[in-house]
Amino acid sequence: MALSKIDVANMLTGATPVANGGTAATTLAAAGLGKRPNAKPIFINGNMAVSQRRTSTTGQTGDGYHVVDRMNMLVTNCGTYTVAQEALTSGNAFANGFANAFRIDTTTADSSPASGDILAVQQIFEGQNVQMFKKGTANAEKFTLAFWVKSNKTGNGQVNLFDNDTSGNRLVGATYSISSANTWEHKVVNFPADTTGPLDDDNAKSFIVEWWLDSGTDYSSGAVPSAWEARSNTDRNAGGALQIARNTANDWAITGVQLEVGEYSSTTLPPFQHEDFGDNLNRCLRYFYRINPDADAAASIGEASYYSSSAAFVCLEFPVAMRDSPSLEQSTGTNYFNLNRNSANDNFNTFNNLNASDHTSAHLYISADISGTAGHGGRCRFENASARLAFSSEL
Amino acid sequence: MKIDKIKKINFEEKLICYKITYVDSNFEKLVPLKEGNTDYQFILKWVADGNTIEEAD
């Protein structure tokens, strides 16, 4: 919907602004713009543009944030996958402004998953970031989840909302139908409000959106939970028939994910909130911060100082406050890092200690392979393009 | 990735973090002793499941 001119007079009177030359259907309220309580997208990195870790990885058999930021994959004894940030150059999703997607390809099939096997993709939310749904109150809001999806498989997939705070957890689900193979389709899924179980107003794991792609009967022998219920695992993939794990020809991709407060249809859904890349990246950095994402062999890590003749600290401040005190993730190897001081260089293999870490800064401690003078300063940098260093505060 | 071991890391004889290493991998994690850290939560569960953290050097 293009708005060529806004009637400012209406704004001054408090009436709903109307697009000049438009119809009633083109009012901002009708488009949902006047209803959003959230200034930023609730679903982070919904356009799949940020992928700090890598753009593709093969042989994935387990859980983790393998590629695209904020997109967590659950795999329990259920096949092997290539996971990628797929660059889009054609198709309906691309034509609607999405140049990237999160994609999995089955490379080793599990033709008959055992009862407890799982294949799912999810995003996990801090409770303090989803308070606008007023869950657990008399004023609880409905949920709308919209996304672009593509698969070689047609049929129903199941997507759930999961309350991780209420004792025993709560769950609601719905199915979406993929009508045409290998074709980007836009889905709008509605979920009811939940007046039971408020979400904690904190930085912990409270709320999850989960797409189930395959499973054993422990997760599929129930019924799709169309109303909020106490969690029953057998319901979580009861309506899912995509069975992505079962053949190496299978793939599944998603982009343009938006989670909205309230109930919308495909015609009333507010437009996707496109952020610029920097804003999107900054929101992702709260959960994961990779130093030197371009893998420059000599990129800077930070200023260092010698604590003793054989040990040094590197003090780092994170570019944004992280969700909680992060773990340091590193790939180590012979001479992967370097400490340059007093006209000399020491190569070293690993950071030995994570010291005095909080959600805004950390001290990295080196206690092997270096030598210097206590009190001397220096610079710490990468020495090998294969070295990786990151901080993770994922949920 | 399959965990090889989890080890205590001391600084000046005080436990300061844990190190997780993985089988057939040069990837490792240094995990702070913070309840909100999900790797720390994982370590607590790993121990509750009957596994043992290796003592510091």
mmCIF file of all heavy atoms in Angstrom, chain B residues 21-55:
data_model
loop_
_atom_site.group_PDB
_atom_site.id
_atom_site.type_symbol
_atom_site.label_atom_id
_atom_site.label_comp_id
_atom_site.label_asym_id
_atom_site.label_seq_id
_atom_site.Cartn_x
_atom_site.Cartn_y
_atom_site.Cartn_z
ATOM 1 N N THR B 21 35.109 -28.817 26.507
ATOM 2 C CA THR B 21 35.753 -29.239 25.261
ATOM 3 C C THR B 21 34.936 -30.365 24.638
ATOM 4 O O THR B 21 34.180 -31.057 25.327
ATOM 5 C CB THR B 21 37.198 -29.698 25.496
ATOM 6 O OG1 THR B 21 37.216 -30.684 26.532
ATOM 7 C CG2 THR B 21 38.078 -28.536 25.908
ATOM 8 N N TYR B 22 35.109 -30.531 23.335
ATOM 9 C CA TYR B 22 34.267 -31.454 22.580
ATOM 10 C C TYR B 22 35.129 -32.487 21.861
ATOM 11 O O TYR B 22 36.290 -32.215 21.503
ATOM 12 C CB TYR B 22 33.413 -30.683 21.561
ATOM 13 C CG TYR B 22 32.494 -29.679 22.225
ATOM 14 C CD1 TYR B 22 32.936 -28.388 22.536
ATOM 15 C CD2 TYR B 22 31.196 -30.025 22.578
ATOM 16 C CE1 TYR B 22 32.101 -27.470 23.160
ATOM 17 C CE2 TYR B 22 30.358 -29.110 23.204
ATOM 18 C CZ TYR B 22 30.813 -27.840 23.498
ATOM 19 O OH TYR B 22 29.992 -26.947 24.122
ATOM 20 N N VAL B 23 34.548 -33.646 21.641
ATOM 21 C CA VAL B 23 35.254 -34.744 20.974
ATOM 22 C C VAL B 23 35.556 -34.357 19.522
ATOM 23 O O VAL B 23 34.688 -33.838 18.808
ATOM 24 C CB VAL B 23 34.389 -36.033 21.010
ATOM 25 C CG1 VAL B 23 35.067 -37.152 20.223
ATOM 26 C CG2 VAL B 23 34.140 -36.459 22.451
ATOM 27 N N ASP B 24 36.795 -34.593 19.109
ATOM 28 C CA ASP B 24 37.222 -34.363 17.718
ATOM 29 C C ASP B 24 36.930 -32.940 17.250
ATOM 30 O O ASP B 24 36.464 -32.713 16.123
ATOM 31 C CB ASP B 24 36.537 -35.361 16.772
ATOM 32 C CG ASP B 24 36.937 -36.787 17.064
ATOM 33 O OD1 ASP B 24 38.085 -36.998 17.505
ATOM 34 O OD2 ASP B 24 36.103 -37.695 16.859
ATOM 35 N N SER B 25 37.158 -31.971 18.131
ATOM 36 C CA SER B 25 36.894 -30.582 17.762
ATOM 37 C C SER B 25 37.877 -29.667 18.469
ATOM 38 O O SER B 25 38.258 -29.922 19.619
ATOM 39 C CB SER B 25 35.458 -30.201 18.153
ATOM 40 O OG SER B 25 35.239 -28.827 17.919
ATOM 41 N N ASN B 26 38.284 -28.597 17.799
ATOM 42 C CA ASN B 26 39.115 -27.583 18.454
ATOM 43 C C ASN B 26 38.266 -26.430 18.992
ATOM 44 O O ASN B 26 38.775 -25.396 19.395
ATOM 45 C CB ASN B 26 40.174 -27.052 17.486
ATOM 46 C CG ASN B 26 39.563 -26.259 16.340
ATOM 47 O OD1 ASN B 26 38.371 -26.383 16.048
ATOM 48 N ND2 ASN B 26 40.380 -25.467 15.670
ATOM 49 N N PHE B 27 36.960 -26.629 18.967
ATOM 50 C CA PHE B 27 36.022 -25.633 19.496
ATOM 51 C C PHE B 27 35.864 -25.853 20.999
ATOM 52 O O PHE B 27 35.764 -26.997 21.454
ATOM 53 C CB PHE B 27 34.676 -25.786 18.789
ATOM 54 C CG PHE B 27 33.599 -24.862 19.292
ATOM 55 C CD1 PHE B 27 33.553 -23.539 18.899
ATOM 56 C CD2 PHE B 27 32.612 -25.325 20.150
ATOM 57 C CE1 PHE B 27 32.566 -22.689 19.346
ATOM 58 C CE2 PHE B 27 31.607 -24.485 20.611
ATOM 59 C CZ PHE B 27 31.586 -23.168 20.209
ATOM 60 N N GLU B 28 35.869 -24.786 21.771
ATOM 61 C CA GLU B 28 35.664 -24.930 23.208
ATOM 62 C C GLU B 28 34.949 -23.702 23.757
ATOM 63 O O GLU B 28 34.895 -22.644 23.113
ATOM 64 C CB GLU B 28 37.006 -25.135 23.923
ATOM 65 C CG GLU B 28 37.980 -23.983 23.772
ATOM 66 C CD GLU B 28 39.334 -24.290 24.418
ATOM 67 O OE1 GLU B 28 39.812 -25.432 24.282
ATOM 68 O OE2 GLU B 28 39.900 -23.378 25.054
ATOM 69 N N LYS B 29 34.394 -23.863 24.941
ATOM 70 C CA LYS B 29 33.682 -22.762 25.592
ATOM 71 C C LYS B 29 34.251 -22.527 26.982
ATOM 72 O O LYS B 29 34.552 -23.480 27.706
ATOM 73 C CB LYS B 29 32.190 -23.093 25.743
ATOM 74 C CG LYS B 29 31.407 -23.153 24.447
ATOM 75 C CD LYS B 29 29.931 -23.394 24.743
ATOM 76 C CE LYS B 29 29.123 -23.462 23.469
ATOM 77 N NZ LYS B 29 27.671 -23.653 23.756
ATOM 78 N N LEU B 30 34.383 -21.260 27.339
ATOM 79 C CA LEU B 30 34.675 -20.867 28.709
ATOM 80 C C LEU B 30 33.388 -20.274 29.277
ATOM 81 O O LEU B 30 32.846 -19.306 28.727
ATOM 82 C CB LEU B 30 35.808 -19.843 28.752
ATOM 83 C CG LEU B 30 37.163 -20.350 28.240
ATOM 84 C CD1 LEU B 30 38.187 -19.201 28.185
ATOM 85 C CD2 LEU B 30 37.691 -21.473 29.120
ATOM 86 N N VAL B 31 32.886 -20.873 30.340
ATOM 87 C CA VAL B 31 31.544 -20.577 30.832
ATOM 88 C C VAL B 31 31.614 -19.899 32.196
ATOM 89 O O VAL B 31 32.165 -20.481 33.154
ATOM 90 C CB VAL B 31 30.717 -21.875 30.943
ATOM 91 C CG1 VAL B 31 29.313 -21.574 31.448
ATOM 92 C CG2 VAL B 31 30.668 -22.588 29.599
ATOM 93 N N PRO B 32 31.062 -18.703 32.323
ATOM 94 C CA PRO B 32 31.104 -18.014 33.625
ATOM 95 C C PRO B 32 30.153 -18.673 34.622
ATOM 96 O O PRO B 32 29.199 -19.357 34.240
ATOM 97 C CB PRO B 32 30.640 -16.591 33.278
ATOM 98 C CG PRO B 32 29.735 -16.776 32.107
ATOM 99 C CD PRO B 32 30.330 -17.920 31.317
ATOM 100 N N LEU B 33 30.391 -18.416 35.884
ATOM 101 C CA LEU B 33 29.566 -19.008 36.941
ATOM 102 C C LEU B 33 28.356 -18.102 37.191
ATOM 103 O O LEU B 33 28.215 -17.492 38.243
ATOM 104 C CB LEU B 33 30.387 -19.173 38.224
ATOM 105 C CG LEU B 33 31.764 -19.829 38.062
ATOM 106 C CD1 LEU B 33 32.485 -19.907 39.405
ATOM 107 C CD2 LEU B 33 31.625 -21.215 37.447
ATOM 108 N N LYS B 34 27.521 -17.991 36.195
ATOM 109 C CA LYS B 34 26.363 -17.103 36.264
ATOM 110 C C LYS B 34 25.085 -17.887 35.968
ATOM 111 O O LYS B 34 24.987 -18.552 34.931
ATOM 112 C CB LYS B 34 26.511 -15.944 35.255
ATOM 113 C CG LYS B 34 27.730 -15.053 35.509
ATOM 114 C CD LYS B 34 27.581 -14.291 36.813
ATOM 115 C CE LYS B 34 28.798 -13.437 37.137
ATOM 116 N NZ LYS B 34 28.978 -12.293 36.305
ATOM 117 N N GLU B 35 24.127 -17.785 36.869
ATOM 118 C CA GLU B 35 22.915 -18.601 36.752
ATOM 119 C C GLU B 35 22.126 -18.320 35.480
ATOM 120 O O GLU B 35 21.410 -19.188 34.993
ATOM 121 C CB GLU B 35 22.021 -18.366 37.972
ATOM 122 C CG GLU B 35 22.594 -18.936 39.262
ATOM 123 C CD GLU B 35 21.651 -18.747 40.434
ATOM 124 O OE1 GLU B 35 20.573 -18.160 40.248
ATOM 125 O OE2 GLU B 35 22.009 -19.189 41.539
ATOM 126 N N GLY B 36 22.227 -17.101 34.965
ATOM 127 C CA GLY B 36 21.463 -16.769 33.769
ATOM 128 C C GLY B 36 22.089 -17.246 32.484
ATOM 129 O O GLY B 36 21.474 -17.157 31.414
ATOM 130 N N ASN B 37 23.307 -17.762 32.566
ATOM 131 C CA ASN B 37 24.002 -18.240 31.377
ATOM 132 C C ASN B 37 23.508 -19.650 31.045
ATOM 133 O O ASN B 37 23.539 -20.542 31.902
ATOM 134 C CB ASN B 37 25.513 -18.239 31.640
ATOM 135 C CG ASN B 37 26.301 -18.694 30.438
ATOM 136 O OD1 ASN B 37 26.245 -19.854 30.060
ATOM 137 N ND2 ASN B 37 27.039 -17.779 29.833
ATOM 138 N N THR B 38 23.041 -19.858 29.831
ATOM 139 C CA THR B 38 22.437 -21.149 29.489
ATOM 140 C C THR B 38 23.471 -22.274 29.448
ATOM 141 O O THR B 38 23.123 -23.435 29.681
ATOM 142 C CB THR B 38 21.685 -21.071 28.156
ATOM 143 O OG1 THR B 38 22.534 -20.496 27.168
ATOM 144 C CG2 THR B 38 20.428 -20.226 28.292
ATOM 145 N N ASP B 39 24.738 -21.954 29.143
ATOM 146 C CA ASP B 39 25.773 -22.992 29.206
ATOM 147 C C ASP B 39 26.011 -23.415 30.658
ATOM 148 O O ASP B 39 26.236 -24.601 30.941
ATOM 149 C CB ASP B 39 27.081 -22.479 28.588
ATOM 150 C CG ASP B 39 26.969 -22.285 27.090
ATOM 151 O OD1 ASP B 39 26.418 -23.170 26.419
ATOM 152 O OD2 ASP B 39 27.426 -21.243 26.596
ATOM 153 N N TYR B 40 25.961 -22.442 31.568
ATOM 154 C CA TYR B 40 26.100 -22.768 32.990
ATOM 155 C C TYR B 40 24.928 -23.638 33.456
ATOM 156 O O TYR B 40 25.110 -24.621 34.183
ATOM 157 C CB TYR B 40 26.183 -21.488 33.819
ATOM 158 C CG TYR B 40 26.375 -21.717 35.302
ATOM 159 C CD1 TYR B 40 27.572 -22.188 35.812
ATOM 160 C CD2 TYR B 40 25.334 -21.467 36.195
ATOM 161 C CE1 TYR B 40 27.746 -22.411 37.167
ATOM 162 C CE2 TYR B 40 25.497 -21.681 37.554
ATOM 163 C CZ TYR B 40 26.703 -22.154 38.037
ATOM 164 O OH TYR B 40 26.860 -22.370 39.381
ATOM 165 N N GLN B 41 23.719 -23.275 32.986
ATOM 166 C CA GLN B 41 22.547 -24.091 33.321
ATOM 167 C C GLN B 41 22.719 -25.512 32.787
ATOM 168 O O GLN B 41 22.358 -26.494 33.446
ATOM 169 C CB GLN B 41 21.283 -23.451 32.731
ATOM 170 C CG GLN B 41 20.936 -22.107 33.357
ATOM 171 C CD GLN B 41 19.902 -21.337 32.549
ATOM 172 O OE1 GLN B 41 19.333 -21.841 31.578
ATOM 173 N NE2 GLN B 41 19.655 -20.101 32.943
ATOM 174 N N PHE B 42 23.294 -25.612 31.577
ATOM 175 C CA PHE B 42 23.528 -26.938 30.991
ATOM 176 C C PHE B 42 24.506 -27.740 31.855
ATOM 177 O O PHE B 42 24.304 -28.946 32.084
ATOM 178 C CB PHE B 42 24.088 -26.793 29.574
ATOM 179 C CG PHE B 42 24.605 -28.077 29.010
ATOM 180 C CD1 PHE B 42 23.750 -29.004 28.442
ATOM 181 C CD2 PHE B 42 25.967 -28.388 29.076
ATOM 182 C CE1 PHE B 42 24.222 -30.212 27.951
ATOM 183 C CE2 PHE B 42 26.446 -29.586 28.586
ATOM 184 C CZ PHE B 42 25.580 -30.498 28.022
ATOM 185 N N ILE B 43 25.557 -27.078 32.337
ATOM 186 C CA ILE B 43 26.549 -27.788 33.156
ATOM 187 C C ILE B 43 25.905 -28.318 34.437
ATOM 188 O O ILE B 43 26.164 -29.451 34.856
ATOM 189 C CB ILE B 43 27.743 -26.857 33.461
ATOM 190 C CG1 ILE B 43 28.533 -26.596 32.178
ATOM 191 C CG2 ILE B 43 28.654 -27.465 34.530
ATOM 192 C CD1 ILE B 43 29.602 -25.523 32.318
ATOM 193 N N LEU B 44 25.061 -27.504 35.063
ATOM 194 C CA LEU B 44 24.381 -27.964 36.282
ATOM 195 C C LEU B 44 23.549 -29.210 35.998
ATOM 196 O O LEU B 44 23.537 -30.168 36.781
ATOM 197 C CB LEU B 44 23.493 -26.841 36.840
ATOM 198 C CG LEU B 44 24.200 -25.579 37.334
ATOM 199 C CD1 LEU B 44 23.182 -24.575 37.865
ATOM 200 C CD2 LEU B 44 25.234 -25.907 38.403
ATOM 201 N N LYS B 45 22.855 -29.203 34.848
ATOM 202 C CA LYS B 45 22.030 -30.372 34.480
ATOM 203 C C LYS B 45 22.922 -31.568 34.156
ATOM 204 O O LYS B 45 22.606 -32.706 34.512
ATOM 205 C CB LYS B 45 21.139 -30.025 33.288
ATOM 206 C CG LYS B 45 20.212 -31.158 32.860
ATOM 207 C CD LYS B 45 19.296 -30.747 31.734
ATOM 208 C CE LYS B 45 18.326 -31.866 31.373
ATOM 209 N NZ LYS B 45 18.991 -33.120 30.992
ATOM 210 N N TRP B 46 24.030 -31.287 33.483
ATOM 211 C CA TRP B 46 24.986 -32.348 33.109
ATOM 212 C C TRP B 46 25.509 -33.047 34.361
ATOM 213 O O TRP B 46 25.613 -34.276 34.391
ATOM 214 C CB TRP B 46 26.113 -31.693 32.313
ATOM 215 C CG TRP B 46 27.102 -32.594 31.655
ATOM 216 C CD1 TRP B 46 26.930 -33.302 30.486
ATOM 217 C CD2 TRP B 46 28.450 -32.852 32.081
ATOM 218 N NE1 TRP B 46 28.079 -33.983 30.189
ATOM 219 C CE2 TRP B 46 29.024 -33.722 31.138
ATOM 220 C CE3 TRP B 46 29.214 -32.416 33.161
ATOM 221 C CZ2 TRP B 46 30.341 -34.175 31.239
ATOM 222 C CZ3 TRP B 46 30.525 -32.858 33.276
ATOM 223 C CH2 TRP B 46 31.071 -33.729 32.325
ATOM 224 N N VAL B 47 25.778 -32.266 35.376
ATOM 225 C CA VAL B 47 26.235 -32.845 36.648
ATOM 226 C C VAL B 47 25.085 -33.598 37.321
ATOM 227 O O VAL B 47 25.265 -34.711 37.836
ATOM 228 C CB VAL B 47 26.785 -31.747 37.576
ATOM 229 C CG1 VAL B 47 27.060 -32.301 38.966
ATOM 230 C CG2 VAL B 47 28.048 -31.147 36.979
ATOM 231 N N ALA B 48 23.897 -33.003 37.295
ATOM 232 C CA ALA B 48 22.735 -33.663 37.908
ATOM 233 C C ALA B 48 22.436 -34.995 37.237
ATOM 234 O O ALA B 48 21.886 -35.911 37.864
ATOM 235 C CB ALA B 48 21.520 -32.742 37.837
ATOM 236 N N ASP B 49 22.811 -35.108 35.960
ATOM 237 C CA ASP B 49 22.596 -36.361 35.220
ATOM 238 C C ASP B 49 23.653 -37.420 35.549
ATOM 239 O O ASP B 49 23.643 -38.512 34.966
ATOM 240 C CB ASP B 49 22.597 -36.095 33.710
ATOM 241 C CG ASP B 49 21.351 -35.352 33.261
ATOM 242 O OD1 ASP B 49 20.358 -35.352 34.017
ATOM 243 O OD2 ASP B 49 21.368 -34.761 32.160
ATOM 244 N N GLY B 50 24.582 -37.066 36.435
ATOM 245 C CA GLY B 50 25.550 -38.064 36.884
ATOM 246 C C GLY B 50 26.955 -37.896 36.351
ATOM 247 O O GLY B 50 27.828 -38.735 36.620
ATOM 248 N N ASN B 51 27.196 -36.842 35.607
ATOM 249 C CA ASN B 51 28.544 -36.607 35.071
ATOM 250 C C ASN B 51 29.396 -35.846 36.092
ATOM 251 O O ASN B 51 28.885 -35.228 37.020
ATOM 252 C CB ASN B 51 28.454 -35.823 33.758
ATOM 253 C CG ASN B 51 27.685 -36.588 32.693
ATOM 254 O OD1 ASN B 51 28.165 -37.603 32.193
ATOM 255 N ND2 ASN B 51 26.480 -36.129 32.374
ATOM 256 N N THR B 52 30.705 -35.869 35.865
ATOM 257 C CA THR B 52 31.636 -35.284 36.829
ATOM 258 C C THR B 52 32.510 -34.223 36.172
ATOM 259 O O THR B 52 33.051 -34.453 35.081
ATOM 260 C CB THR B 52 32.543 -36.369 37.426
ATOM 261 O OG1 THR B 52 31.705 -37.359 38.033
ATOM 262 C CG2 THR B 52 33.490 -35.779 38.467
ATOM 263 N N ILE B 53 32.626 -33.094 36.814
ATOM 264 C CA ILE B 53 33.496 -32.026 36.336
ATOM 265 C C ILE B 53 34.921 -32.314 36.764
ATOM 266 O O ILE B 53 35.172 -32.641 37.947
ATOM 267 C CB ILE B 53 33.024 -30.656 36.881
ATOM 268 C CG1 ILE B 53 31.627 -30.346 36.373
ATOM 269 C CG2 ILE B 53 34.011 -29.560 36.477
ATOM 270 C CD1 ILE B 53 31.038 -29.087 36.975
ATOM 271 N N GLU B 54 35.857 -32.189 35.835
ATOM 272 C CA GLU B 54 37.264 -32.435 36.143
ATOM 273 C C GLU B 54 37.837 -31.281 36.975
ATOM 274 O O GLU B 54 37.512 -30.105 36.744
ATOM 275 C CB GLU B 54 38.034 -32.573 34.822
ATOM 276 C CG GLU B 54 39.451 -33.032 34.945
ATOM 277 C CD GLU B 54 40.059 -33.307 33.568
ATOM 278 O OE1 GLU B 54 39.527 -34.154 32.823
ATOM 279 O OE2 GLU B 54 41.055 -32.635 33.240
ATOM 280 N N GLU B 55 38.670 -31.619 37.928
ATOM 281 C CA GLU B 55 39.277 -30.596 38.774
ATOM 282 C C GLU B 55 40.272 -29.741 37.978
ATOM 283 O O GLU B 55 40.795 -30.180 36.957
ATOM 284 C CB GLU B 55 39.987 -31.239 39.959
ATOM 285 C CG GLU B 55 39.049 -31.879 40.964
ATOM 286 C CD GLU B 55 38.101 -30.878 41.601
ATOM 287 O OE1 GLU B 55 38.536 -29.755 41.898
ATOM 288 O OE2 GLU B 55 36.915 -31.224 41.779
#
